[in-house]
Amino acid sequence: IPVAPFDYVLFGGTGDLAQRKLLPALYHRDLDGQLPDAARLIGASRAEFDADGYQAFAREALEQHVPATLLEAECLERFLARLDYVAIDAMSDDGWNDLKSMLDARDDGRIRAYYLAVGPRLFGPIAERLDKFDLIDERTRLVIEKPLGHDLDSAIALNNAVGAHFREDQVFRIDHYLGKETVQNLLALRFANVMFEPLWNAAHIDHVQITVAETVGVGDRAGYYNRSGAMRDMVQNHLLQLLCLVAMEPPASGEADSIRDEKLKVLRSLRPITGENIEATTVRAQYKAGAGPDGKVDGFLDELGEASDTETFVSLKAEIDNWRWAGVPFYMRTGKRMAMRMSEIVIQFRSVPHSVFGSGAGAPVANQLVLRLQPDEFVKQWIMIKDPGPGGMRLKHVPLDMSFAENFDERAPDAYERLLLDVIRGNQTLFMRRDEVEAAWRWIDPIFEAWEDRSQAVRSYTAGTWGPSQSIAMIERDGRTWNDGD
Ligand code: BG6
């Protein structure tokens, strides 16, 4: 769906996110005919570029991050012609009048979106100067992205700093996982079918698993990552958002606040993990040297070059204390340098209450629904059938398989493509509300406190594996097993 004319100002326009994600995403939207003729993109950062220089910079970024087959000359020129640039300093008044004149020169009532692809310490100062230079009004939107705080207090401070200048309905907090096709598909699966919802509760579901496994290491992000770790980098946002979408009650409508209200209730129902249950419900670990996707790789501490107890892997057993989910564990794990790149959600149903088949048929295996987010997107519902043939009743476990690549020709759009234009549409459904972010920290903070109080050791795992043995033991103690992809 095409959007209204806009000016997108990319603060941090020469940074890594702009090069790898934002410029390519907007280019793809242009290629698909989704950008109105008048749409304009303004790079803003401290670097001394002019418009031509920024266009050359963007061309290079696109050549690197857009597949060559999709770099169409005509579209590329049209896209580059949309780019302008302003040198600006977030911490002083330098450049702000230039930005204002640039925006005012084409002020035809268009939408103005400010994307802060910069460190969070600049969110407050930029919001303040946007206000001071009279760059905020009804049609203005602000886009920010994690890290949204380091803990609850800093998240509140950040939200206050932004909230002093923007209303909540103008603030778009990106969690790019919400822009992924399969994540949105979870909503379609749950709420556009009649057959899942009646079973979607503790009476029929034994447990849920959420895995986000990566093969990459921390690489040149070691510094950032060491201050963050898997819990802050992945669990506080992406994994908890996935958990919310699985666990929430049906919203009354698809309206942003209707969905976000339900997600918030889930976050508030999470049983606190504290000193008492920390050992049984969490495992944190760091990778040691081992196998990477292209050969031997170093351990985290070697890459970092100093001692650290930051986790590059975490697994958790979460419980949701409400009527629907009482007694159903949500096992989550995420890590760098794991055996394969694989993100998926597994809904493990309970076994049939009684088998009517003799022992020769084999025991019925409990149903399982697998939603694979990446790398290959699919939905698989495992069911039991009769093994075909004349040999009498023998049960067989088979998947009803819906692979996106096999069933749809379309290119899978990157999450940012959807999210960047949802900002212009003013649709906040796939963005986190302030209270959600804070509720997530409220659950995460005590885990860090308990880790410190108990001085629970950081475990280690060999790069290229599924994490430390303690993570396997955590789920196996409950008589369950991690789904390691197939
Ligand atoms: C980011 C994290 O939010 O998500 C990275 O900061 C991580 O550490 C990335 O690699 C994973 O995203 P995706 O889309 O590749 O699964």
Side-chain angles (χ1 to χ4, degrees):
I1 318 159
V3 297
F6 61 81
D7 279 343
Y8 235 117
V9 183
L10 307 179
F11 287 92
T14 53
D16 184 56
L17 188 69
Q19 289 179 64
R20 275 189 311 111
K21 295 286 185 184
L22 307 181
L23 291 168
L26 289 162
Y27 168 82
H28 280 299
R29 295 291 76 212
D30 203 359
L31 188 62
D32 288 349
Q34 302 285 298
L35 299 194
D37 290 344
R40 192 163 54 146
L41 314 170
I42 301 172
S45 86
R46 277 190 309 184
E48 288 296 336
F49 276 128
D50 56 12
D52 287 346
Y54 191 57
Q55 289 176 7
F57 169 87
R59 182 189 293 275
E60 211 171 293
L62 295 176
E63 282 168 358
Q64 225 179 327
H65 298 287
V66 173
T69 49
L70 295 176
L71 271 184
E72 289 177 14
E74 193 188 326
C75 179
L76 184 59
E77 297 314 316
R78 178 175 77 224
F79 180 77
L80 294 176
R82 299 176 184 281
L83 299 180
D84 213 329
Y85 184 81
V86 59
I88 208 162
D89 182 0
M91 301 304 283
S92 80
D93 288 350
D94 293 352
W96 290 86
N97 279 322
D98 299 338
L99 176 61
K100 184 161 173 52
S101 344
M102 202 175 273
L103 290 170
D104 286 350
R106 284 228 217 152
D107 191 2
D108 50 8
R110 59 180 57 207
I111 301 208
R112 284 181 184 174
Y114 303 114
Y115 196 121
L116 307 196
V118 296
R121 67 185 179 83
L122 297 181
F123 292 176
I126 291 179
E128 198 181 313
R129 287 201 166 75
L130 286 169
D131 205 353
K132 175 172 168 191
F133 286 85
D134 202 16
L135 289 164
I136 304 178
D137 61 25
E138 274 310 303
R139 62 214 154 106
T140 314
R141 277 136 214 197
L142 184 77
V143 191
I144 53 178
E145 188 163 357
K146 78 171 187 35
L148 298 174
H150 188 74
D151 54 16
L152 178 60
D153 289 346
S154 52
I156 292 176
L158 209 57
N159 281 330
N160 284 343
V162 165
H165 307 282
F166 288 87
R167 290 192 318 264
E168 180 61 25
D169 65 358
Q170 295 179 299
V171 181
F172 290 72
R173 295 180 189 80
I174 288 209
D175 182 312
H176 79 280
Y177 265 60
L178 293 179
K180 290 186 189 272
E181 277 292 314
T182 325
V183 175
Q184 294 168 57
N185 209 22
L186 179 57
L187 293 177
L189 207 67
R190 281 194 65 190
F191 303 126
N193 295 293
V194 75
M195 60 209 243
F196 294 111
E197 210 45 35
L199 304 180
W200 211 261
N201 55 51
H204 303 288
I205 293 179
D206 177 75
H207 73 278
V208 174
Q209 295 183 18
I210 301 174
T211 297
V212 179
E214 298 183 276
T215 51
V216 292
V218 299
D220 51 15
R221 291 167 85 218
Y224 153 78
Y225 196 87
N226 189 39
R227 291 187 297 279
S228 156
M231 190 76 149
R232 293 187 172 96
D233 187 47
M234 299 295 286
V235 179
Q236 190 273 343
N237 36 76
H238 308 324
L239 276 85
L240 282 182
Q241 285 292 322
L242 297 181
L243 176 140
C244 284
L245 293 176
V246 174
M248 71 183 186
E249 294 301 312
S253 75
E255 293 288 309
D257 277 339
S258 193
I259 292 183
R260 301 192 295 180
D261 287 348
E262 297 306 335
K263 290 198 291 172
L264 180 64
K265 284 185 212 160
V266 173
L267 292 167
R268 287 183 172 159
S269 311
L270 283 168
R271 181 180 304 168
I273 292 182
T274 57
E276 317 228 308
N277 51 3
I278 191 86
E279 305 288 349
T281 54
T282 68
V283 176
R284 55 175 177 151
Q286 291 172 339
Y287 59 84
K288 301 184 291 195
D294 308 310
K296 245 181 106 11
V297 292
D298 285 340
F300 171 60
L301 294 183
D302 303 322
E303 286 175 314
L304 185 65
E306 58 182 90
S308 162
D309 58 8
T310 300
E311 74 290 349
T312 62
F313 170 97
V314 62
S315 62
L316 300 155
K317 175 182 173 184
E319 303 256 4
I320 300 172
D321 285 332
N322 65 17
W323 199 308
R324 184 187 283 262
W325 295 114
V328 180
F330 281 65
Y331 299 98
M332 295 184 273
R333 61 179 172 163
T334 183
K336 303 281 184 203
R337 289 278 186 239
M338 292 183 65
M340 61 187 275
R341 175 167 182 255
M342 193 268 283
S343 303
E344 70 174 24
I345 299 171
V346 176
I347 312 292
Q348 178 63 58
F349 291 92
R350 293 190 186 281
S351 305
V352 292
H354 164 71
S355 175
V356 301
F357 305 99
S359 57
V365 179
N367 298 136
Q368 194 180 62
L369 174 66
V370 181
L371 285 120
R372 175 71 61 86
L373 274 54
Q374 53 197 28
D376 42 343
E377 299 182 27
F378 63 68
V379 178
K380 265 188 202 172
Q381 174 65 63
W382 290 83
I383 58 164
M384 298 306 293
I385 58 160
K386 176 187 168 298
D387 202 355
M393 177 58 80
R394 290 183 63 81
L395 295 175
K396 197 171 161 70
H397 194 216
V398 293
L400 298 177
D401 191 353
M402 218 293 294
S403 146
F404 285 71
E406 282 168 24
N407 288 279
F408 303 102
D409 285 342
E410 275 144 65
R411 180 183 65 84
D414 186 72
Y416 282 93
E417 293 183 40
R418 165 82 193 253
L419 297 174
L420 281 166
L421 291 203
D422 273 359
V423 171
I424 306 301
R425 293 186 188 100
N427 181 355
Q428 290 184 305
T429 308
L430 299 176
F431 296 84
M432 295 180 294
R433 205 167 56 191
R434 168 180 188 147
D435 47 10
E436 282 180 78
V437 175
E438 292 175 8
W441 281 119
R442 216 166 260 123
W443 186 70
I444 296 279
D445 275 2
I447 300 178
F448 279 105
E449 280 159 29
W451 278 344
E452 289 214 343
D453 289 351
R454 292 272 164 138
S455 42
Q456 191 204 63
V458 185
R459 317 287 182 176
S460 61
Y461 60 104
T462 306
T465 66
W466 283 102
S469 58
Q470 290 82 0
S471 161
I472 299 167
M474 182 183 90
I475 193 166
E476 296 204 337
R477 271 198 302 274
D478 294 347
R480 300 173 175 121
T481 315
W482 288 114
N483 211 54
D484 282 345
D486 50 37

